[in-house]
Amino acid sequence: MTHAGGASAAEESVFGRSPAADAALATALRKAVDAQQFADVLDTVPPSTAAATQLYRTQVAPGDAAKIPAAPAIAAAAPIHQTPQLDATVIKLDRSGRPVAAADVLLSPQYPNGKIIPLDKNLTTTQVRWRQWDDATWDNNNAQGTIDIVPGRESAPVDFMSPYPASVLKLMVAFGILRMVDAGELSLDDTYTYTPVGTPSSLCGGARTATSITQLFDEMITVSSNPSTCALIKLMHERGKIDGLNQQFVDLGLPTLRLAGTNPNTGGTWANAVTMSSIDTAKLLLLFNGSPGVLWRTPSGTRVTASVLSASSRTYVLGKLGEQGLNQVLSTTNYCGREYPAQGIPQTTPARWINPADGTVTVGTRSYGQDVRPCNAAAQVTFAHKTGLADTSGNDAGIVKSLPGKPFESYIVSVHSNLGYRYIDPDRPADPAGTYPVQYTEKLALLGAAIHAL
């Protein structure tokens, strides 16, 4: 998994990030976050209402269902009562995939204009007391969390409640499954029969047999299938791998990555105990991407390299992330040509989802209704990414790379926020009839475009 001992200059290249490059990127990222004026969004469920009280009694809504607030809620939406919670990380890469600059910026009621979090040579920080997400606490306790994610941070100068990751958690599941494949404990060609114990979960669905682990993995990443993810989580529970996975994240120096509290009987119950900071999400993507030499060192000093996953597993997961169909958060190419939402990262939309007759995109049951071929013709980059959505969760994280013949671009971006489908933009236009709705504030797409411009 990791390597100890002496390192060559190439292996230690991660330590070549200059303080000046980090500072310049961090300053620009903070300005980009601040410029979006996220506090201008509207809340369709203001915390003083009975609807909010009811939401506090329910589990976090897991994601990517076709949900937008009902028309009466949109009409009655009020200005958000405090600055939203947002955690943004950017890692700029060289042509070999090595970090040359990195930045992390937090936005919260305590830091309404953004707070730069310095990252050490291992792409980590001890300056933040990470807290577990809770809707009621965010609404009614000035966004001050009460449950620590990482122990021993009580004296950290920054106290931040980390937004719920929603379907970005599927990156952790992907890592766990591929570790089992690399260990010879599982084959992507294996069939799997999902048999929930007890009452089936509405999130996960009933018993079924998948033709292969590949089928489940593909559906989990490319169309964000919750039932397929439940099946893979239940498989890991059956093999006794969940606790080990969470410990492995700690051992790798990714302590905020926790696939905790899931139900071993169904693979469901994706609640607030599941956590991911943007920096640790970005580092997991850095591992997927791979590069020569040391990616970072763990707190114990152990060197972490791309060999944590085999080359074939890294190629496989990057391929699936590259075919991800929900380009509607930091990138918005599925809505190509519409005035709303704004254009985000100028990626190419994967051909897998495009109707060759008219250029429109359909992802599973989601029909976007726009001809994306003009945006593909103008695209500058690919974006291998995973989105996440819940009522109070709007996230996107991935790897951006320039297309052949385009100016060189290579970076990792990870944005976690509480701006899920509960929050809308002022004067949000109606969606065209029969099309998949816009579920996120377009401010996230504007942030994606601003980050790309950095």
Side-chain angles (χ1 to χ4, degrees), residues 312-366:
S312 59
S313 285
R314 287 188 281 108
T315 298
Y316 178 74
V317 69
L318 289 174
K320 294 304 177 185
L321 290 170
E323 292 183 348
Q324 196 276 140
L326 305 181
N327 307 303
Q328 56 189 35
V329 191
L330 295 178
S331 65
T332 49
T333 53
N334 285 14
Y335 299 107
C336 178
R338 284 175 54 173
E339 291 186 6
Y340 179 92
Q343 183 179 6
I345 295 170
Q347 72 162 100
T348 182
T349 300
R352 173 175 177 176
W353 312 111
I354 301 174
N355 182 334
D358 61 8
T360 59
V361 168
T362 301
V363 182
T365 60
R366 308 168 177 94

Side-chain angles (χ1 to χ4, degrees), residues 184-269:
E185 301 167 349
L186 189 68
S187 169
L188 292 172
D189 295 327
D190 290 346
T191 60
Y192 179 67
T193 298
Y194 172 75
T195 309
V197 178
T199 304
S201 162
S202 59
L203 171 72
C204 302
R208 63 198 178 280
T209 298
T211 58
S212 64
I213 300 300
T214 292
Q215 175 193 342
L216 295 172
F217 197 106
D218 176 82
E219 292 169 351
M220 173 179 73
I221 298 297
T222 65
V223 300
S224 203
S225 167
N226 293 331
S228 294
T229 307
C230 289
L232 292 176
I233 292 174
K234 188 174 188 298
L235 169 61
M236 286 195 288
H237 274 295
E238 291 169 354
R239 304 288 182 91
K241 295 297 182 181
I242 294 292
D243 289 344
L245 175 64
N246 289 326
Q247 184 58 51
Q248 188 169 46
F249 286 137
V250 173
D251 294 342
L252 284 170
L254 306 171
T256 69
L257 301 191
R258 300 191 314 177
L259 190 65
T262 55
N263 188 335
N265 294 324
T266 64
T269 313

Side-chain angles (χ1 to χ4, degrees), residues 35 42 48 153 157 161 195 203 243 260 266 280 296 315 319 332 334 338 373 381 391 454:
L42 303 181
S48 59
R153 296 286 181 85
M161 187 160 59
T195 309
L203 171 72
D243 289 344
T266 64
D280 283 353
W296 65 83
T315 298
T332 49
N334 285 14
R338 284 175 54 173
R373 291 172 296 187
V381 295
D391 53 350
L454 300 183

